[in-house]
Amino acid sequence: MHIAMVSAECAPIAKAGGLGDFVQGLARELARCGERVEVILPAYDGLRLASSDQPRPLGIAFQVPFRGVPIDCQILGLSLDGYECRLIAPRSAQRFFERGRLYGEPDDAERFAFFSRAVADYVSRSESRPDVLHCNDWQTGLAPVLLAERREALGRIPVCYSLHNVGYQGWVEADLLTAVGLDPARLLTPERLADPGDPRRANLMKGGIAAADVVNTVSPRYAWEIQNTEQGMGLQAWFQRHDYKFGGILNGIDETVWNPLTDPLIPVDFGPETLPRKALDRQALRARLGLEEASDRPIIAVVSRLDRQKGVDLIAHGLQYGLASGAQIALLGSAIEPAIAERFAQLKSRLETSPHARLELGYDESLAHLIYAGADLILIPSLYEPCGLTQLIAMRYGTVPIARRVGGLADTIQDANYSSAPFESRNGYLFDEPTTEALEGAMDRAIALWRDHPDYFSRLRLNGMRGDYSWRRPAREYLDLYAYARQAQCARASASSRR
Ligand code: ADP
């Protein structure tokens, strides 16, 4: 099958969070299964490329109309490990993808609406046409809409649409639809793109859901939550209405990147058979962060975007509570919102003199690896969590998660004490309410086990390390989903030809 994955991110060259890991991990595994995979990305100026990976012009050029002006685009090709990238490189006054970062620009909606239009034009060329188009998140929500609006000689391209975070839906003004050549009078209706909260505005995710053949989220529990609770962020009824084509598939992690036995970014390799060697990575982590050597203190870590979704109040509280409870704490976090950045900068300077606390503010891939390898516990108190990769990576590295029982965290963590699962499946600590009391209760249980029953704690680590978090099972499920999308598309085409 020729699969084109469209996304605003793809690790390692363009990653801001889990979406980048998802695209890389799934693309690699599908390619390993023998599928032809193409990842379509904006040609950002800040791509993290190895010197041997240089994008090459493919001799494909076309013009993409945007706000009535034709914009010259060319396609650059880049071969990554097992799959191909296609980079959409426009030449225009707006310099859409030459901003030094992926997101956070005032005109993000314009940038990704343009990207979606360029993708729709690119894949509609008969030479580039994939068997299935896999779109991701609000940034690409207009691509299914644009394709559905076309009358294609070859029939419409089947579309799978994955939702990684319903907190960001892409709410835009109606004139952005006109900008990409769509008709707001036809599309800005409750049946299509009109936002339920403000029908004068378009909701790109909502439009993508209506136009796609199959839709999924990245864990079964999150699929249920967004249909049945306020986690649907206003789209609950819309998800229920599209229930017949809607499901959840848990993410995997890329085990070539995240494997403590082979990870080049950690000083000492270890695995389930050599768990005591993890202590050497703990030492290295302490040295790297300037934490005091303290064998009677577990290291409680946080590796996270510092965003409201991640439970920033609980993160800040948990760090201070951990310190007061005799643990060492290490945070690696990046904040976009200035108020949150300021808050954590203040906490950092307040704790600067403690030999048992270190806060690193920013994005640092190699420190993240060292933290997963060296820490004992990791705190993930998310308000909502579509899947979460942090807990999967941490468990692979023998670091036990303390997390809120939501979304993919609930699907992947079995509580050490309160679980009906057999002991071999128990791998962490869960709490329910997003309150400091509930968090403290779970932290107390975890710290007490680490301190009083180290053997039992090691077995918990091992249970986590032995779990299967690979992309093998999810990739098979996506292949089934693509097959279903193709069937649905065929059925739709034959129904409309009978009409
Ligand atoms: P989200 O996609 O919502 O940010 P996930 O748990 O799905 O959350 O994925 C987070 C990914 O980003 C993990 O690979 C994690 O290691 C990485 N990450 C998050 N914050 C940082 C940071 N400050 N520095 C390095 N890596 C980070």
Side-chain angles (χ1 to χ4, degrees):
M1 213 187 296
H2 174 187
I3 301 154
M5 295 178 71
V6 189
S7 167
E9 294 185 38
C10 178
I13 59 170
K15 167 173 163 176
L19 175 61
D21 292 311
F22 168 89
V23 174
Q24 178 191 37
L26 180 59
R28 264 193 189 165
E29 186 60 31
L30 290 170
R32 221 173 273 148
C33 295
E35 311 298 342
R36 179 177 156 207
V37 185
E38 201 174 76
V39 175
I40 308 177
L41 290 174
Y44 297 112
D45 56 354
L47 292 175
R48 281 180 237 149
L49 295 169
S51 53
S52 52
D53 293 338
Q54 282 312 318
R56 52 186 195 286
L58 294 181
I60 303 172
F62 49 95
Q63 288 190 322
V64 178
F66 190 76
R67 296 209 178 280
V69 177
I71 294 181
D72 288 325
C73 276
Q74 65 163 328
I75 302 289
L76 307 176
L78 181 66
S79 300
L80 292 174
D81 187 9
Y83 61 95
E84 290 289 315
C85 270
R86 299 284 174 257
L87 306 173
I88 297 203
R91 189 144 24 95
S92 76
Q94 295 98 323
R95 305 175 82 84
F96 286 121
F97 307 121
E98 297 158 64
R99 310 290 181 86
R101 57 177 175 173
L102 310 188
Y103 314 116
E105 298 289 297
D107 60 344
D108 275 357
E110 297 260 319
R111 299 166 68 221
F112 291 105
F114 170 81
F115 175 59
S116 297
R117 170 71 205 241
V119 168
D121 289 1
Y122 170 59
V123 297
S124 297
R125 297 157 34 96
S126 54
E127 316 83 271
S128 321
R129 188 186 161 88
D131 296 316
V132 65
L133 186 72
H134 184 166
C135 296
N136 293 281
D137 269 353
W138 74 266
Q139 297 91 342
T140 60
L142 269 184
V145 178
L146 284 155
L147 290 174
E149 289 299 288
R150 293 184 182 191
R151 295 213 173 280
E152 303 281 352
L154 295 169
R156 190 153 82 63
I157 299 168
V159 178
C160 167
Y161 187 32
S162 295
L163 312 180
H164 302 261
N165 193 337
V166 172
Y168 303 89
Q169 298 173 6
W171 297 276
V172 303
E173 301 304 325
D175 79 315
L176 196 58
L177 301 181
T178 318
V180 295
L182 292 170
D183 177 6
R186 233 175 76 66
L187 292 173
L188 204 59
T189 65
E191 302 301 306
R192 304 290 294 274
L193 277 90
D195 183 61
D198 179 359
R200 288 163 307 174
R201 306 187 83 197
N203 180 319
L204 303 186
M205 184 175 271
K206 177 173 177 260
I209 293 165
D213 298 291
V214 290
V215 182
N216 78 300
T217 65
V218 287
S219 71
R221 167 89 173 215
Y222 188 59
W224 182 88
E225 286 170 349
I226 62 177
Q227 284 185 310
N228 296 291
T229 73
E230 75 290 351
Q231 308 270 11
M233 312 266 179
L235 289 187
Q236 291 90 314
W238 195 243
F239 292 123
Q240 284 171 12
R241 182 159 160 193
H242 291 273
D243 186 40
Y244 66 96
K245 59 175 181 185
F246 183 64
I249 299 181
L250 263 179
N251 286 341
I253 53 174
D254 191 323
E255 295 190 320
T256 55
V257 177
W258 300 110
N259 181 352
L261 280 167
T262 54
D263 190 338
L265 296 174
I266 64 175
V268 179
D269 61 80
F270 65 95
E273 313 309 319
T274 50
L275 183 57
R277 288 163 64 82
K278 182 175 163 81
L280 300 171
D281 287 315
R282 189 176 311 115
Q283 242 174 25
L285 176 61
R286 285 192 166 119
R288 161 78 173 75
L289 294 178
L291 291 171
E292 202 169 278
E293 217 16 82
S295 58
D296 58 339
R297 289 174 181 261
I299 301 180
I300 303 181
V302 172
V303 178
S304 184
R305 285 186 299 116
L306 296 173
D307 179 285
R308 287 183 199 284
Q309 174 206 339
K310 300 294 179 184
V312 279
D313 294 336
L314 291 175
I315 290 178
H317 181 81
L319 291 173
Q320 295 170 93
Y321 186 75
L323 194 58
S325 306
Q328 289 190 325
I329 55 166
L331 170 131
L332 171 60
S334 43
I336 288 189
E337 213 179 291
I340 297 179
E342 176 55 28
R343 175 175 184 190
F344 278 86
Q346 280 177 13
L347 186 60
K348 177 183 162 82
S349 66
R350 190 143 30 94
L351 297 175
E352 203 98 82
T353 52
S354 167
H356 300 301
R358 202 61 68 223
L359 277 66
E360 294 282 333
L361 302 181
Y363 185 92
D364 185 335
E365 189 75 31
S366 68
L367 179 57
H369 284 246
L370 184 58
I371 291 179
Y372 289 121
D376 298 293
L377 290 156
I378 192 154
L379 217 52
I380 316 173
S382 306
L383 300 184
Y384 68 94
E385 194 58 79
C387 176
L389 297 178
T390 315
Q391 82 279 14
L392 302 180
I393 300 169
M395 289 193 285
R396 191 99 170 89
Y397 285 70
T399 296
V400 175
I402 303 172
R404 228 187 121 221
R405 196 192 308 272
V406 284
L409 296 167
D411 281 338
T412 54
I413 300 173
Q414 300 291 340
D415 191 274
N417 306 115
Y418 307 118
S419 165
S420 54
F423 177 75
E424 304 71 52
S425 313
R426 299 188 192 185
N427 50 18
Y429 291 88
L430 290 168
F431 61 98
D432 287 285
E433 297 305 318
T435 59
T436 53
E437 293 77 17
L439 169 68
E440 288 175 11
M443 290 180 72
D444 287 345
R445 288 191 288 131
I447 295 170
L449 191 78
W450 181 91
R451 189 159 284 145
D452 302 333
H453 301 282
D455 289 351
Y456 189 88
F457 191 83
S458 290
R459 286 166 66 197
L460 215 54
R461 292 192 205 263
L462 288 170
N463 292 346
M465 294 176 84
R466 290 187 174 129
D468 178 6
Y469 315 119
S470 73
W471 271 104
R472 282 182 290 280
R473 180 194 39 76
R476 278 197 305 276
E477 292 182 39
Y478 275 101
L479 285 172
D480 287 344
L481 207 57
Y482 299 157
Y484 181 81
R486 294 175 79 181
Q487 276 170 13
Q489 186 45 234
C490 283
R492 201 186 300 195
S494 64
S496 71
S497 69
R498 277 200 301 276
R499 251 184 259 127

